[in-house]
Amino acid sequence: MKFKDPLIKTKIIKRYKRFLSDLELSTGEIINAHVPNTGSMKTCWEPGWTAFVTKNDDPKRKMKYTWEITDTGEALICVNTNLPNKIVKEALENGQILEVSEYKTVIPEKKILDSRIDFFLQQEGLPDVFLEVKNVTLKGPQRKALFPDAVSTRGQKHLKDLIELKKQGNRAIMLYLINRTDVEKFSPAADIDPEYARLLVEAQKAGVEILPYQTQITPEEIVVSKKVDYSL
């Protein structure tokens, strides 16, 4: 997924009220930027780190700037949670998710079981696939990527849905999009949400496929790069 316009480099001053941030341009001007992330963003920002932002001059927008990427000095992190499904959709259509590369029909936002699963895949002669995406940005000890970064009742529900869809004879996939470059493996954040971690073990036992894929991030584009190991 390529950014349409060049990103603007800024210095982070603070994030507050979840969706707001104060950033400093290279000119010294302080700007307000929208933070499109409902999570805690733990380990994803500190004062003085770099934030890359986009600018939109549409007069209908309340805030012109949007925080897209954090640069810690050692790693890049995609913090815009509106982007992961776009990144995964592109990867699915390009056959970059090897486990489902044979599937040519990719339908976003499939409504089923009183939920919306991120992607529904079909291919003649193969079982239907329901694939849910979670954006992973929390860094833990030993270079582990962890999910979730806060208790996620919604995430718990999605795991239950995938277990049920698997029981119905479909393929069910939980894809963790690891959107930072300084981690090497994945685990559920059991200390933060033990129920989510328990359900993930249950999902694996039920036959739900767990696919942690890491992205390659630059200020120009974000693409799915490689699959990483995980432990439950």
Side-chain angles (χ1 to χ4, degrees):
M1 186 216 74
K2 292 184 180 293
F3 289 99
K4 293 181 180 179
D5 299 305
L7 300 191
I8 300 166
K9 187 176 181 180
T10 71
K11 184 170 74 173
I12 300 170
I13 298 174
K14 64 178 178 178
R15 179 206 187 200
Y16 55 100
K17 295 183 179 179
R18 185 176 291 187
F19 300 112
L20 303 176
S21 64
D22 291 340
L23 308 173
E24 183 179 343
L25 296 173
S26 59
T27 60
E29 179 187 354
I30 305 300
I31 61 170
N32 301 120
H34 174 55
V35 185
N37 192 309
T38 59
S40 71
M41 278 180 61
K42 186 179 179 182
T43 73
C44 289
W45 76 276
E46 292 287 347
W49 285 2
T50 294
F52 286 97
V53 303
T54 50
K55 185 180 181 183
N56 188 326
D57 288 318
D58 186 340
K60 296 178 182 178
R61 285 177 59 98
K62 291 183 179 180
M63 305 186 78
K64 292 184 178 181
Y65 295 95
T66 300
W67 185 344
E68 307 284 359
I69 294 172
T70 298
D71 185 347
T72 71
E74 298 178 351
L76 296 179
I77 310 163
C78 172
V79 300
N80 184 343
T81 55
N82 295 323
L83 299 183
N85 280 26
K86 296 178 182 178
I87 297 165
V88 171
K89 183 174 184 290
E90 183 179 273
L92 290 169
E93 292 174 342
N94 292 339
Q96 293 171 293
I97 309 300
L98 300 182
E99 292 79 2
V100 290
S101 59
E102 295 175 300
Y103 288 77
K104 304 307 178 187
T105 299
V106 178
I107 301 172
E109 297 289 324
K110 178 70 171 179
K111 192 171 183 180
I112 193 165
L113 299 178
D114 196 33
S115 290
R116 288 186 184 274
I117 301 297
D118 287 322
F119 292 99
F120 175 61
L121 312 181
Q122 279 189 315
Q123 183 64 34
E124 186 176 352
L126 297 175
D128 292 344
V129 175
F130 290 89
L131 185 149
E132 181 67 18
V133 177
K134 296 300 179 191
N135 188 52
V136 182
T137 57
L138 176 62
K139 182 184 179 182
Q142 301 174 331
R143 297 179 69 85
K144 276 189 179 181
L146 304 173
F147 182 89
D149 64 1
V151 174
S152 178
T153 54
R154 186 168 180 266
Q156 294 168 18
K157 183 179 186 301
H158 284 147
L159 286 176
K160 293 174 184 176
D161 288 341
L162 290 175
I163 291 169
E164 179 59 30
L165 288 165
K166 177 61 181 176
K167 288 179 181 177
Q168 293 177 8
N170 306 286
R171 285 182 69 187
I173 297 176
M174 185 68 255
L175 191 150
Y176 293 100
L177 191 70
I178 301 171
N179 249 329
R180 62 183 301 153
T181 59
D182 58 350
V183 290
E184 297 173 347
K185 46 193 172 182
F186 170 79
S187 287
D191 290 347
I192 294 174
D193 191 341
E195 177 61 9
Y196 187 91
R198 185 193 70 77
L199 283 168
L200 188 57
V201 172
E202 182 181 328
Q204 184 189 48
K205 290 179 179 177
V208 174
E209 299 167 57
I210 300 171
L211 303 182
Y213 269 85
Q214 191 170 25
T215 57
Q216 178 178 313
I217 304 172
T218 70
E220 291 74 41
E221 67 176 344
I222 304 174
V223 294
V224 170
S225 173
K226 62 183 179 180
K227 187 178 176 184
V228 301
D229 293 333
Y230 71 91
S231 58
L232 303 184

